[in-house]
Amino acid sequence: MTIQTRFETHDIFNQSPPYEDVNLFASDRPLRDAVAANGAGTEAAALSEFGKRWGAAGMFENARLANEFTPKLKTFDTKGFRRDVVEFHPAYHAFMTESMRDGMHAWTWTAEGARAAAPSEVARAARYFMIAQVENGHQCPITMTRACVGSLAVEPPLLKKLIGKITSRTYDPRFIPWWEKDGITLGMGMTEKQGGTDVRANTTVATPAGEGYSITGHKWFMSAPMCDAFLVLAQAPGGLTCFLMPRFRPDGSVNGLRFQRLKDKLGNRSNASSEVEFVDAFAWRIGEEGRGVRTIIEMVQLTRVDCIIGSAGIMRGALAQAMHHARHRTVFQKRLADQPMMRSVLADMALEMEGITALTMRLCRSFDHAADPKEAARARLLTPAVKYWICKSAPGFVYEAMECLGGNGYVEETALARLYREAPLNAIWEGSGNVMCLDVLRALSREGEAARAVLSDLVRACGDLPGVKEAAVFIAKTLSAADGEAHARVAVERLARLAATAALAEGAPGVAEAFARSRLAPSGMYGSSDLQNAEVTDLLDRALPA
Ligand SMILES: Cc1cc2nc3c(=O)[nH]c(=O)nc-3n(C[C@H](O)[C@H](O)[C@H](O)COP(=O)(O)OP(=O)(O)OC[C@H]3O[C@@H](n4cnc5c(N)ncnc54)[C@H](O)[C@@H]3O)c2cc1C
């Protein structure tokens, strides 16, 4: 196609070409290094093919379409019968088809539902990271489908019945019973109106009935409502319990899920997120009564990892767009990318991205080797810390990238606006920032010895770099202090940065020193200032009297 550059009133020049038809793997040296350092080097050729396919212009265009033409809830048919279905743009279905064909929901499970051999986590994470640079909304059901298997493992007979459909590489969007479908997807509903974090406050009730339970109540957020079944939490006679609720009852009739409306969201617009009522809905119990949190946490942990990979991918996508633009745009007779201050900005963002990429893939390696107690302890301590740091860093990072494009960055046609609206989400769901910090504290108090061994390992990996030993002392002291909760944010952030330094020391030693030098000093998220209790009270009173 020839692009018209001559208008009647002016010529068009000095606009950067679209960032598309790129190989998302070959063009990303930090990713290639991190993949190789974490055991998935043999995947390089396949990842390069994947990166080329997902970086094609048509993918970016489909991402725009899927987010511009948002899902619609069809509650009733023309005669007033309930339908409770959601309609999506074909571009959304195209992404689901592609991601499921690539096995993003199934990669880490065997055909029996056991953990697949290493390096399945790292190999999948590299792919998920690239997809996140293109389209995020459809990754929600993909993530939940893969993660739910972790919880279903406590019910081997049920898992055996479902696993073939779950790991099928065929996307089947038909609204029919799961056993008639070529492939199924799974979602989850924990959050209610009166509390999301505090799931023990759930009021939804489950009563034993026939071969399962009858569930009545609601969920305030339940994303991807066209999934074929949902892990939900409800109060059974024995306490808060985990269930699997299919869209169709075992007799083939439509189950009692009544969607009230879809959320009108800031971003993540290609994905539907519903408010739903359960009216005597049929469900299978998963795990023992009263063990709901313990059961569903297996799913939550895996979902948190995808939040991390997703945010890292969003940041990489934003950085690549910023660098691409700066290399094609001239200002004051010089390429933007050659202006000294812009070079500093881009290099600093690239350094941050080095740490984030190395750390993300190193964390996924711990999941690849979860049978090793040392790696399991690392995953336990670091997953919430890394989610805290990376997911919370994403909005500011994407904003900085957006500013590199000037006004062009702020308009919808560039992907930056969409990435920016998407960026806060991963920090909010599956445990918001404070909740992640509390989880780090919990790991330290319940499995203190293992957690301290992880900290020692991190220091061993990079102890000769500037600031490492001081950071480790600060982290240990702050998190074990009597008022540790009040100051947890600053220590958890430093823990994640320390882990990133260690990951770089192993996977990209050439940049580890610069990262340590500039990133291990105390820093700047809200909640990190060294305020005394009296100052906190005074500031809060001045801001808004109680
Ligand atoms: C787009 C979108 C899709 C979603 N999809 C789903 C879904 O599919 N299924 C589902 O179950 N949920 C879903 N959620 C809900 C999401 O997981 C919750 O919003 C999240 O867990 C926070 O719960 P909450 O909204 O009730 O906030 P709250 O629990 O009220 O938390 C509010 C704030 O308080 C902080 N906080 C909580 N406890 C403490 C404490 N002890 N100390 C200090 N601070 C604390 C939190 O960090 C947070 O910042 C979705 C949310 C969004 C935005």
Side-chain angles (χ1 to χ4, degrees), residues 188 190-191 196-197 221 223 265 425 428-430 432 434 438:
M188 57 98 179
M190 293 188 283
T191 310
T197 305
F221 279 90
S223 289
K265 295 176 288 183
L425 180 54
I428 291 176
W429 65 12
E430 290 304 341
S432 315
N434 291 352
L438 290 171

Side-chain angles (χ1 to χ4, degrees), residues 140 144 187-199 219-225 230-233 263 265-268 271-274 296 299 304 392 422 424-438 442 485 489:
C140 172
M144 293 193 292
M188 57 98 179
M190 293 188 283
T191 310
E192 298 188 1
K193 289 174 181 159
Q194 68 283 353
T197 305
D198 187 5
V199 288
K219 294 295 161 187
W220 181 228
F221 279 90
M222 199 168 83
S223 289
F230 301 85
L231 282 184
V232 298
L233 289 177
K263 301 284 190 188
K265 295 176 288 183
L266 169 68
N268 195 249
N271 180 30
S273 298
S274 73
I296 212 161
M299 182 273 288
R304 286 177 180 168
K392 279 190 90 63
E422 186 74 27
L425 180 54
N426 283 325
I428 291 176
W429 65 12
E430 290 304 341
S432 315
N434 291 352
V435 177
M436 290 300 90
C437 294
L438 290 171
R442 199 172 303 121
E485 191 173 320
R489 277 185 166 218

Side-chain angles (χ1 to χ4, degrees), residues 8-31:
E8 281 176 22
T9 53
H10 63 284
D11 291 337
I12 304 176
F13 63 99
N14 198 23
Q15 288 279 31
S16 57
Y19 177 73
E20 57 192 26
D21 288 328
V22 283
N23 185 324
L24 301 173
F25 186 71
S27 61
D28 188 345
R29 175 78 190 274
L31 176 62

